[in-house]
Amino acid sequence: MMGIAAGNDAKQIKVYKKQFRVGFPIFPDKEFDIWHLLGNPKTPFMIVATPQGKVLLTHEGQIEDVDGFVKEIRELHKNQ
C-alpha cells in the first residue's frame, strides 16, 4: 500500500504520518501532476493492482461497506 498526497509536500506528509500513525509510504504530489494523470479523482481514491502493474480494481470516495470491499479484494487476489 502507498499513498499519493495530492497538493501536499514532504513536510505536510511527515506531520500527517505522525499524527495518524501511518505506516505505509506516502509520496508528495504538490503540483497535482499524479492526480491529473489519474483523471482528477475524488479522494480518497484507491487502486488495487498486481505487483506487475495490472489494475484489478479502482474505487473513488469513501468505502461504505468495508467488509464487502475486503471480500472483493480477496476474491480478486484469489483469482490471480
Side-chain angles (χ1 to χ4, degrees):
M1 178 183 278
M2 65 176 224
I4 306 295
N8 298 116
D9 60 26
K11 184 178 178 182
Q12 292 165 312
I13 292 169
K14 185 177 180 179
V15 170
Y16 177 85
K17 286 183 74 168
K18 183 177 181 179
Q19 180 179 358
F20 294 102
R21 294 184 229 163
V22 175
F24 56 85
I26 300 176
F27 300 95
D29 186 23
K30 181 82 172 157
E31 303 300 323
F32 295 92
D33 296 326
I34 298 168
W35 183 72
H36 287 303
L37 287 172
L38 292 171
N40 309 339
K42 289 188 244 175
T43 55
F45 178 65
M46 181 182 292
I47 300 171
V48 177
T50 66
Q52 296 75 30
K54 178 183 175 187
V55 175
L56 303 176
L57 170 78
T58 63
H59 181 83
E60 281 187 73
Q62 184 174 350
I63 298 169
E64 299 296 331
D65 178 9
V66 175
D67 292 334
F69 190 70
V70 170
K71 182 179 177 182
E72 185 175 0
I73 291 172
R74 286 185 178 144
E75 286 296 317
L76 287 169
H77 282 285
K78 187 189 320 180
N79 295 325
Q80 288 301 302

